[in-house]
Amino acid sequence: MRAGDIFSLINQVSGGIGYSLLPGWVRAFSSRIERLPLDARYGSHQQITVLMLSSRERDPNLLALAAACRLYGRGGRATGS
């Protein structure tokens, strides 16, 4: 079975239609699904880099993004509005 978006997939899994591999951030969207962690040997990590033009380094939106990235990188929880 296929789902067109992550929310449809979450609804199918929570409805008992099947199982799926879902990223960890999905837990913020639904408490109705049971999450079983993968064995450590199957885990993966990603490194994401934010690049911006030096002419925009004082842009308030980009400064906020950089601050949220730093917080998240230190293990904090970045929240959005």
Side-chain angles (χ1 to χ4, degrees):
M1 182 175 262
R2 291 185 159 220
D5 59 83
I6 191 77
F7 301 106
S8 297
L9 182 59
I10 290 170
N11 287 331
Q12 290 174 351
V13 170
S14 66
I17 294 175
Y19 297 93
S20 179
L21 289 174
L22 297 170
W25 56 263
V26 169
R27 75 178 133 260
F29 293 104
S30 178
S31 60
R32 298 180 305 162
I33 56 176
E34 180 182 357
R35 294 172 304 277
L36 303 172
L38 289 175
D39 189 278
R41 63 184 166 179
Y42 299 113
S44 67
H45 297 279
Q46 296 178 354
Q47 183 174 358
I48 300 172
T49 304
V50 176
L51 301 173
M52 63 184 88
L53 295 171
S54 60
S55 62
R56 295 194 61 202
E57 66 185 354
R58 299 283 180 225
D59 182 315
N61 292 323
L62 294 178
L63 289 172
L65 173 63
C69 291
R70 283 189 207 100
L71 177 65
Y72 185 80
R74 281 183 267 189
R77 182 169 167 88
T79 58
S81 49

